[in-house]
Amino acid sequence: MSNFPFYLAAFLVVLGVLIVVHEFGHYAAARFCGVKVLRFSLGFGPVLWQKKLGRDQTEWALSVFPLGGYVKMLDEREGEVAVEELDRAFNRQGVGKRSLIVAAGPLANFVLAILLYWGIFMYGSQELLPVLGSPPVDSPAAMAGVRNGEQVRRIDGEPVATWNDLRWTLLQKAVDQESVELEVINEQQEISLRRLYLQAAGEGGWEGDALLRLGVGFYRPKVPAVLGQVVSGGVADLAGLKPGDRILAANGKAIQFWHELVGKVRDSAGSVLHLDVERRGELLALDVVPEAFAERGQTIGRIGVAVADNAELHREMRTFVSYGFFAAGGKALAETWDKSVFSLLMLGKMLTGEVSWRNLSGPVTIADYAGQSARLGLDYYLKFMALVSISLGVLNLLPIPVLDGGHLMYHMIEVVRRRPLSERAMELGQRIGLSILFVLMAFAFFNDINRLVTG
């Protein structure tokens, strides 16, 4: 609960920025096309604050419910318009201008994503290298022959520089390919090719971690479970553990490597953990109760110990990645395009039943991710903001009445028919659109609640 204010603030900042950018796109396009803007509102419902500004005395407002916003333009369908202002009414504009004003909102979200990625790629960041860990037995990665410590150089001939590159490329390929060829290099600088089959990625409707189903995980150094430091007065110290102790088993399960001990401790917050310990040739049995800590919305256990120094720990696992001005711009455009296309593909597969509707996320899950990314650092937070901005742009362009894409669909029909749809037809479309949105929101909220309950 102590994380709640931070997570809420991170969520509201993302939401506020994306809504303002989206609505400012509509506003700027309307002004460019000579349409009078009556109100620019961040949020819906009762107005908390408002101020009239500019030659047109546009009302800038902040409203109670922040999950959205709107730009109200002069329009004969919504009230009387003075004769001298008829040429500035939205409904009096040609279909081209009206379409530009409608499309400008989602386009502004895509532009924001491009600018955010551009800045991130130019500034640079520390990234994990694409080094693979030991895959689970019988997983696709194990059957491909992947070994612990191998670094991926290329996927189907495409260079891979970071773990994020590896993850994103595999997800993209898994949508429409049966397999990929991994070019890997081991610590002896030997290069090998691995054929990784991808069908398992989409099992269960793509729910959960697709890479985990493929058996693709990050490198875990083969470090013995030997204690290097024990925090004075900590849980481990009070239980009698000392530097140099080697953990042989936890709750009867053999422990060989440090990461196995870490996993056991993290999963045993507040529960007794029975440890078999070797100390200078003597076998001991000690009980320790890991202390509970909150981390990224989950409760984990800690006992206050650090691993003994080992040569495996000194392998460099990170690299600093940055790009020049033009290279960063090109990569930002490609990143935005690829993620937009991927979002559309996933939505299409939801409609055909290939992707589970449980992948839909509502405001609770988005707020959780916003808080987690903010805790990881500014670059992670801005990348998250860019991703949500892309999602918002894609969602608003869907041909659903009440969304921007629905209005663009009406305009396309108007071009074909050479006259607008009737008020009755548009009213019916609005009802259908609201029903579709209600169903989508219900699914998203249900998924949020389900994630909260099941963890």
Side-chain angles (χ1 to χ4, degrees):
M1 207 56 163
S2 60
N3 289 326
F4 178 75
F6 180 82
Y7 278 46
L8 179 62
F11 172 61
L12 290 177
V13 168
V14 167
L15 198 65
V17 169
L18 298 190
I19 293 170
V20 168
V21 167
H22 181 93
E23 299 305 334
F24 189 79
H26 292 310
Y27 171 82
R31 292 293 303 270
F32 176 77
C33 293
V35 174
K36 184 176 182 178
V37 178
L38 303 178
R39 173 182 277 188
F40 184 113
S41 177
L42 174 58
F44 298 107
V47 175
L48 297 173
W49 173 88
Q50 61 183 15
K51 189 174 180 65
K52 291 187 176 182
L53 297 170
R55 181 170 58 88
D56 289 334
Q57 287 293 282
T58 300
E59 185 180 277
W60 298 78
L62 181 65
S63 301
V64 171
F65 303 109
L67 296 177
Y70 63 92
V71 170
K72 183 178 181 181
M73 289 166 267
L74 193 67
D75 195 313
E76 289 177 282
R77 296 167 298 183
E78 297 181 8
E80 274 193 49
V81 177
V83 175
E84 63 272 16
E85 291 192 312
L86 283 174
D87 63 326
R88 300 192 66 195
F90 177 78
N91 65 294
R92 289 288 181 115
Q93 308 305 310
V95 70
K97 284 187 176 182
R98 281 182 282 131
S99 296
L100 175 62
I101 293 169
V102 170
L107 289 176
N109 286 121
F110 293 128
V111 170
L112 174 64
I114 291 168
L115 292 176
L116 287 172
Y117 282 133
W118 200 333
I120 292 165
F121 294 148
M122 280 184 62
Y123 183 75
S125 60
Q126 288 286 342
E127 299 278 355
L128 288 172
L129 290 169
V131 183
L132 303 173
S134 296
V137 178
D138 295 332
S139 66
M143 289 186 279
V146 168
R147 293 181 175 85
N148 192 58
E150 291 183 331
Q151 182 171 332
V152 179
R153 289 158 49 101
R154 289 181 176 81
I155 299 178
D156 282 348
E158 298 175 26
V160 174
T162 68
W163 182 260
N164 278 334
D165 289 347
L166 167 72
R167 184 178 186 83
W168 178 237
T169 304
L170 285 179
L171 286 175
Q172 285 182 291
K173 301 278 188 183
V175 173
D176 54 17
Q177 286 186 208
E178 288 188 358
S179 67
V180 292
E181 185 178 74
L182 307 180
E183 181 185 305
V184 301
I185 185 169
N186 62 20
E187 293 179 80
Q188 289 74 44
Q189 300 303 299
E190 298 168 333
I191 296 174
S192 305
L193 298 177
R194 312 283 187 217
R195 174 60 58 178
L196 178 66
Y197 287 89
L198 303 173
Q199 292 92 332
E203 288 178 0
W206 286 82
E207 194 176 355
D209 193 337
L211 262 64
L212 198 62
R213 289 191 290 275
L214 293 174
V216 175
F218 189 68
Y219 170 70
R220 287 176 170 174
K222 298 295 187 182
V223 177
V226 178
L227 308 187
Q229 290 179 305
V230 178
V231 176
S232 178
V235 171
D237 184 36
L238 296 175
L241 288 166
K242 298 185 182 300
D245 285 353
R246 182 173 190 139
I247 312 301
L248 302 177
N251 286 346
K253 184 176 180 181
I255 298 290
Q256 187 177 4
F257 300 113
W258 181 258
H259 70 262
E260 296 170 337
L261 174 63
V262 171
K264 270 291 184 184
V265 170
R266 287 173 64 91
D267 294 340
S268 303
S271 303
V272 177
L273 199 57
H274 305 289
L275 300 179
D276 295 333
V277 180
E278 180 187 345
R279 180 183 298 163
R280 295 190 293 273
E282 183 183 356
L283 297 180
L284 304 172
L286 299 174
D287 290 343
V288 61
V289 180
E291 202 172 352
F293 284 86
E295 182 182 275
R296 301 182 193 176
Q298 292 184 320
T299 301
I300 64 164
R302 291 180 184 166
I303 59 174
V305 296
V307 66
D309 192 30
N310 187 285
E312 279 283 328
L313 294 173
H314 299 291
R315 180 175 177 182
E316 186 55 60
M317 287 290 109
R318 290 181 177 271
T319 183
F320 184 78
V321 181
S322 66
Y323 299 85
F325 181 80
F326 293 108
K331 188 169 172 60
L333 283 167
E335 192 88 1
T336 303
W337 172 260
D338 288 344
K339 284 183 166 55
S340 301
V341 171
F342 187 78
S343 297
L344 280 173
L345 286 172
M346 289 293 103
L347 284 169
K349 286 180 179 291
M350 275 188 192
L351 293 176
T352 60
E354 294 176 68
V355 172
S356 171
W357 286 86
R358 287 193 288 269
N359 287 294
L360 277 178
S361 296
V364 177
T365 302
I366 295 171
D368 182 37
Y369 288 151
Q372 288 186 39
S373 62
R375 284 197 179 281
L376 289 171
L378 182 61
D379 56 336
Y380 287 93
Y381 186 57
L382 294 179
K383 284 178 183 177
F384 172 76
M385 186 182 289
L387 181 61
V388 179
S389 190
I390 291 168
S391 299
L392 185 61
V394 170
L395 178 66
N396 270 282
L397 284 176
L398 294 179
I400 300 174
V402 311
L403 294 179
D404 294 329
H407 292 293
L408 291 173
M409 179 178 66
Y410 288 157
H411 295 168
M412 289 176 67
I413 294 171
E414 181 179 338
V415 169
V416 172
R417 297 175 75 237
R418 301 194 176 184
R419 65 179 186 277
L421 283 171
S422 67
E423 291 290 331
R424 172 67 181 157
M426 285 195 282
E427 182 184 339
L428 182 61
Q430 295 290 93
R431 290 180 181 177
I432 294 171
L434 284 171
S435 300
I436 293 171
L437 278 186
F438 178 78
V439 171
L440 290 174
M441 288 172 64
F443 265 111
F445 274 110
F446 173 79
N447 291 339
D448 278 354
I449 293 167
N450 189 49
R451 290 184 188 110
L452 282 175
V453 172
T454 62

